[in-house]
Amino acid sequence: MVFTRVKVAVFLDGCFWHGCPEHHTKSATNAGYWAEKVRRNRERDEETNRLLTEQGWQVIRVWEHEDPTIAAEHVAELVKSRQDR
């Protein structure tokens, strides 16, 4: 989700696909393939964060296990604070 006028980008990351430090589990089948896939996803996430930040964007990453109400409140607060500039 993006808020273009205030340059806020929100990503919802799946625990398995993005290697959540709390909930990521190793695949029981084809473990090498999935480990590399997740490693590359995390690398791409970091690159995306860096590129957007360099362009003046604020990046928010929300894990799938996070409370959606709390995450939405965090996003709303950030968007509001950037609108008030």
Side-chain angles (χ1 to χ4, degrees), residues 4 9 12-14 19 25-26 29-31 33 42 57 61-62 65 70-71 73-75 78-79 82-83:
T4 55
L12 177 60
D13 293 338
T25 57
K26 294 181 182 176
T29 57
N30 209 1
Y33 170 83
R42 292 183 79 177
W57 286 76
R61 289 199 173 265
V62 178
H65 67 264
I70 293 171
E73 288 170 355
H74 176 65
V75 170
L78 181 61
V79 167
R82 290 178 71 102
Q83 286 174 333

Side-chain angles (χ1 to χ4, degrees), residues 50-82:
R50 181 183 60 76
L51 291 170
L52 286 170
T53 300
E54 288 174 357
Q55 295 296 314
W57 286 76
Q58 177 69 48
V59 177
I60 298 175
R61 289 199 173 265
V62 178
W63 288 107
E64 69 175 305
H65 67 264
E66 290 184 59
D67 181 292
T69 301
I70 293 171
E73 288 170 355
H74 176 65
V75 170
E77 288 170 7
L78 181 61
V79 167
K80 174 85 171 104
S81 73
R82 290 178 71 102

